[in-house]
Amino acid sequence: MKYIKYIISGILFGIVMVKAETISWFRIYEMFQFDAFHMYGIIGSTVIIGVIGTYFLKKTKAKNIQGEPIEFTPKNFSVARYLIGGIIFGLGWALVGACPGPMFVLLGTGFFPILIVIFGALLGTFIYGAVRRYLPH
């Protein structure tokens, strides 16, 4: 029962993603073809909301659900890190037609071939965990 709020949040998030058409392969294809602003508008809006939300979390010294202070730790900026990671993420997104969030929403809508993609994502995460210490961070 203690996880019910997370389950409800996930269901609501999935409904919003379906209604906003962010799980639509055609919308993602349009984005990568620069044919429509739909996905860029959604992604841009989320970035702006994230920046504003982070600003207020820092400003108000907010606490998490357990009452602990939310801490932001600075990361070392590395062009190679973000460039390589972005290329891998973008290629996967373009080839599959879904990023990690919509993969599970697609599964929830009954699109079962996405299980292959989810398996690949989990395998990639496992491989990354195994070779992480050898990669530039």
Side-chain angles (χ1 to χ4, degrees), residues 34 42 48 63 66 73 93-94 129 132:
F34 301 104
I42 290 173
I48 292 168
K63 297 184 184 324
Q66 287 82 25
T73 54
W93 193 8
R132 182 176 189 266

Side-chain angles (χ1 to χ4, degrees), residues 19 47 81:
K19 293 297 183 182
V47 169
R81 173 185 183 180

Side-chain angles (χ1 to χ4, degrees), residues 107-119:
L107 182 61
T109 61
F111 185 71
F112 296 112
I114 201 71
L115 284 169
I116 297 166
V117 176
I118 291 172
F119 174 76

Side-chain angles (χ1 to χ4, degrees), residues 13-14 17 22-23 28 32 39 43 85-86 88-94 96-108 114-115 117-122 124-125:
F13 182 64
M17 290 184 80
T22 57
I23 65 167
I28 294 166
F32 283 112
M39 292 297 287
I43 292 168
I88 291 170
F89 184 83
L91 284 173
W93 193 8
V96 172
C99 67
M103 289 187 326
F104 295 100
V105 177
L106 283 164
L107 182 61
I114 201 71
L115 284 169
V117 176
I118 291 172
F119 174 76
L122 292 173
T125 303

